Amino acid sequence: MAPIEVHLIAADGRSHTVRARVGRSLMRAAVDGRIDGIAADCGGCLNCATCHVVVDTAWAVKLPPPSSDEQAMLEMTAAPRQPTSRLSCQ
Ligand code: FES
């Protein structure tokens, strides 16, 4: 399957576009694309919340709801949680 492009806007307002493979996490695409602000300290094990992103509302409604474990970790994000906050490793 062909890669897709994902557009990210960093906390400082800079825009980035990374290529991602369908079926892999947004966190992996951001880390591979060397996007600052996605530390992903736990490597996607749902232990750190350093992969926090705020998903555009148009896309957030297309995602499955966060699991109870993701919900719990979203309470520990460094930046304030928003209505469409997600952990990009999930
Ligand atoms: Fe650690 Fe997502 S990378 S919770």
Side-chain angles (χ1 to χ4, degrees):
M1 189 173 293
I4 60 172
E5 288 188 339
V6 180
H7 304 285
L8 301 161
I9 301 171
D12 64 7
R14 288 184 298 154
S15 295
H16 305 274
T17 299
V18 296
R19 295 179 77 103
R21 287 191 298 185
V22 173
R24 295 192 76 196
S25 71
L26 173 59
M27 175 277 284
R28 179 53 49 204
V31 169
D32 290 349
R34 303 181 194 280
I35 304 300
D36 288 340
I38 304 291
D41 290 338
C42 76
C45 294
L46 203 49
N47 285 329
C48 72
T50 62
C51 63
H52 175 216
V53 294
V54 178
V55 180
D56 185 275
T57 303
W59 289 101
V61 297
K62 299 179 182 198
L63 297 173
S67 68
S68 58
D69 288 341
E70 183 181 354
Q71 288 277 12
M73 287 305 298
L74 281 166
E75 299 301 323
M76 300 178 194
T77 57
R81 182 178 181 177
Q82 303 295 315
T84 60
S85 284
R86 297 299 298 262
L87 297 180
S88 60
C89 68
Q90 299 301 300

